[in-house]
Structure formats: structure tokens, C-alpha cells
Amino acid sequence: MSPFHVDTVDLLRRTPVVVSALLVGVPEAWTTTPDVAGGWRPRDVVGHLISAEIDDWIPRAERIVAEGTSKPFDAFDRFAHVERDVDVPLDRLVARFGALRAQSLAHLDELVADEGDLERRGLHPSLGEVTLRELLATWAIHDLDHVSQIFAGMAGSHDADVGPWKAYLGILLRREDPAAIPG
Amino acid sequence: MSPFHVDTVDLLRRTPVVVSALLVGVPEAWTTTPDVAGGWRPRDVVGHLISAEIDDWIPRAERIVAEGTSKPFDAFDRFAHVERDVDVPLDRLVARFGALRAQSLAHLDELVADEGDLERRGLHPSLGEVTLRELLATWAIHDLDHVSQIFAGMAGSHDADVGPWKAYLGILLRREDPAAIPG
């Protein structure tokens, strides 16, 4: 495998461990607030990560390998978790995400037989042509993006507790004004 | 201990585990980029967290308990890590942070004998009167804020790899424009 491939899979393996260290057994006081008004609570983020394991990354990688650019990716439902996960406890969602991620990475190993496969092209329904390499990088950055969102929701849950220190805490200020600069 | 106290210590215990899951042994390709231009790489963030364990949280909690509002907190050097950590490998910084955090929490246990202690007041040199409770909440949110910064740097390291998907990845767009809205 190329360094890019090894490094990206390394990060993809870490995400469920990080999410688990952050959320399994955490007191509920930390997990009931969304990242921004109208945004996602930690459980919504984990639900979305689950949806992407099921419907996004591997199905799209398979489509690239099987069809190239002749058939665009299916659309991905960013809100599939809302009804599906309504009664599932957070700890169970985290465990499910970990299990699905392990399956996805095993599947990826089968799909990328040699490094040239990463240059294969597929067709994104809105973005146009993309490579399997870009899909792999996007998968990892999507993890980082959404786990950050968990941090913002957790911080927001204790917004009222920090008193005047809020002026120094960008993670709180940006929930109200994305361009805020801490003092 | 009050639920607030229990919940906050729970999060403070998690942070070194999360940072370790994210960074120990991670390929260097993920860790050489700052969160924003002129910002901090993951190793700078961990260095700053180390500085805060040494010079900020516990010394300020001690000052509150010993002096109340009669003597303001000492100033905290946000850049103490720059020279101190220049030759220290990232994995060693992460381990050092974990050891210091464990010591800090043991020390906190001695400082907060009963819940009334959390209402004790101290004097921040810029922000004025603050409570020990606010200090404790700020400690936890400061963790979340800076670990988010690690995620932004890691994402930034692979900015060039995601191709057209960048338009959907807020964590990349915000490194260039804090108010950017992903497509």
C-alpha cells in the first residue's frame, strides 16, 4: 500500500476508538446539546457516521470499481439516522459505528487490490468526476469534521457554567458567531 | 460530590485518553499542519495543555482556596511550550499530559473538600471575580476547545487530497474562512 493509503486507513481505524473514549458512559449532562442551534447532538453525529458506513463510503467505492464514471453514485440521505436511531442508546450507537467501521475497512482491503486502483474514477451526482483516492481522503476528513461537531455540542452543554471565561473560549463563541475571535 | 463536579471530572479524565487514541503512533503526515495559518500543530496544542496543567488550573484553584479575591491569579504564558517542548517527540508529550492530568485531578480532590468550596471566589487579572466552579467548567471546555484544534490541524494536513469534496467539508473551509458554510 502507498503511504497515503496506509496513513488514511490508520486514521479511519482511530475514529471509533476516539469516539468511544469520548462518549461511552459519559454523563448525560454532556450529550443533550447540539453543536449549534438546530444542529446535531453527539448521538445525531454518531448516527450520521453510521449512515455513512452503510450507504456512502463503501457503496461508492464499489460503484467506482464496478461502473467507473458510467453510473453516478446514489444520493446519500444525511438524515437517515433521525428515525432509525430514535430509541437506540448512545453507547449502543457508538458500538454499532465501531463494528460497521471494522467491516468497512475489511471491505476496502478487498476493493483496493493495488495502488493503481486509487486512481480509478467515479461520478458524484453533484460534484462530477472524483477518484477513489479522493473518496478515501474525504472519508477520513469527514470523520474529523463530525467528531469536531461532537466536541462543539459537548462544550455547548456547559456554556452557562464558565462565567466570564466564555470570552476566551472560541468553541463556545463560535456556536453563536462563526467568525468570533476569542479575547 | 455534586453532579456538576462528578460530570466535570469525568470529562477531564477522558481528555488524555481521547488525545492518546488520536495521536499516539499516528503517521506524521497527519500532524505537521497547524489548525489555521499561523496557528498550532497538534504537538503545540498538547504542549499548551501541558502548560495549563503545570501553571494554570491547579495553581489558580490553590490561589482561590488560599487567598480568595485578595490576590489575583498569576498571568499564564500561552506560549510556554514553544521552547520547552521543541525536542520532545509527540508521543512523549501525550504521555506527559496524561501523567500531569492524573496528578492534577488527585490534587483537585484535596482542594475541594466539600461542595461549598466550589462557590469560593478568586480574582482573574483581566476578567475579575470568578468562582472555583467556573474554573472547573472552564478547564473542561478548554480541553474540548483545544482538542478540536487538533482535529482542524489534522484535517488541514490532507486539504489537498479531497478534491471537489472540499466544498462539503466545513472543517477545511473554516480554516480559510471562519464563516464558511459547506455546500
Side-chain angles (χ1 to χ4, degrees):
Chain A
M1 296 202 291
S2 67
F4 168 82
H5 189 173
V6 171
D7 293 355
T8 307
V9 169
D10 181 286
L11 190 117
L12 290 168
R13 282 192 203 291
R14 286 172 192 267
T15 307
V17 187
V18 169
V19 170
S20 182
L22 193 59
L23 293 179
V24 170
V26 80
E28 198 183 345
W30 286 109
T31 62
T32 53
T33 304
D35 60 323
V36 291
W40 282 353
R41 298 161 298 170
R43 58 177 292 110
D44 301 313
V45 175
V46 178
H48 173 69
L49 291 171
I50 287 171
S51 301
E53 293 305 303
I54 299 170
D55 286 332
D56 191 333
W57 312 112
I58 290 297
R60 288 179 171 192
E62 286 175 330
R63 178 70 52 91
I64 290 173
V65 171
E67 312 270 359
T69 57
S70 64
K71 187 176 175 188
F73 304 147
D74 297 332
F76 170 61
D77 179 1
R78 295 182 59 250
F79 297 92
H81 61 277
V82 176
E83 290 197 14
R84 185 193 62 215
D85 297 339
V86 67
D87 292 323
V88 185
L90 176 58
D91 287 5
R92 194 122 58 86
L93 292 175
V94 172
R96 180 148 198 241
F97 169 56
L100 288 167
R101 173 58 56 90
Q103 286 172 30
S104 296
L105 291 176
H107 206 137
L108 182 72
D109 264 353
E110 294 161 16
L111 282 170
V112 183
D114 74 76
E115 284 309 305
D117 289 337
L118 291 182
E119 304 315 317
R120 287 176 181 246
R121 292 180 170 271
L123 194 58
H124 187 286
S126 308
L127 299 171
E129 283 201 12
V130 291
T131 65
L132 188 50
R133 189 180 197 279
E134 289 165 347
L135 178 88
L136 197 53
T138 300
W139 189 359
I141 306 303
H142 181 268
D143 275 7
L144 295 169
D145 203 356
H146 283 292
V147 180
S148 281
Q149 202 177 2
I150 295 177
F151 280 80
M154 293 177 83
S157 73
H158 283 58
D159 181 278
D161 295 317
V162 299
W165 265 296
K166 181 166 172 176
Y168 294 166
L169 294 166
I171 197 169
L172 294 180
L173 299 174
R174 287 189 296 271
R175 296 179 71 240
E176 290 153 23
D177 171 8
I181 311 270
Chain B
M1 295 205 292
S2 66
F4 168 82
H5 189 173
V6 172
D7 293 356
T8 306
V9 168
D10 181 286
L11 190 117
L12 289 168
R13 281 193 203 289
R14 286 172 192 269
T15 307
V17 187
V18 169
V19 170
S20 182
L22 192 60
L23 293 179
V24 169
V26 80
E28 197 181 349
W30 286 109
T31 62
T32 53
T33 304
D35 60 323
V36 292
W40 282 352
R41 299 160 299 171
R43 59 178 290 109
D44 301 314
V45 175
V46 178
H48 173 68
L49 292 172
I50 287 171
S51 302
E53 293 305 304
I54 298 170
D55 287 332
D56 191 334
W57 311 114
I58 290 297
R60 288 179 171 193
E62 287 175 328
R63 179 68 53 90
I64 291 173
V65 170
E67 312 269 359
T69 57
S70 64
K71 188 175 176 189
F73 304 148
D74 297 333
F76 171 62
D77 179 2
R78 295 181 60 249
F79 296 93
H81 61 276
V82 176
E83 291 197 14
R84 185 193 61 215
D85 296 340
V86 68
D87 292 324
V88 186
L90 177 58
D91 287 5
R92 193 121 60 85
L93 292 175
V94 173
R96 180 148 198 242
F97 170 56
L100 288 167
R101 173 58 56 89
Q103 286 172 30
S104 296
L105 291 176
H107 207 137
L108 182 72
D109 264 353
E110 294 161 17
L111 283 170
V112 183
D114 74 74
E115 285 310 305
D117 289 337
L118 291 182
E119 303 316 316
R120 287 179 181 242
R121 292 180 170 272
L123 193 59
H124 188 285
S126 309
L127 299 171
E129 283 200 10
V130 292
T131 65
L132 188 50
R133 189 181 197 277
E134 288 165 349
L135 178 88
L136 197 54
T138 300
W139 189 359
I141 306 305
H142 182 268
D143 276 8
L144 295 169
D145 202 355
H146 284 292
V147 180
S148 282
Q149 202 177 2
I150 294 175
F151 281 80
M154 293 177 82
S157 73
H158 283 59
D159 181 277
D161 296 316
V162 299
W165 265 296
K166 181 168 173 175
Y168 295 166
L169 294 166
I171 197 169
L172 294 180
L173 299 175
R174 286 189 297 271
R175 296 179 71 240
E176 290 153 23
D177 171 6
I181 310 269

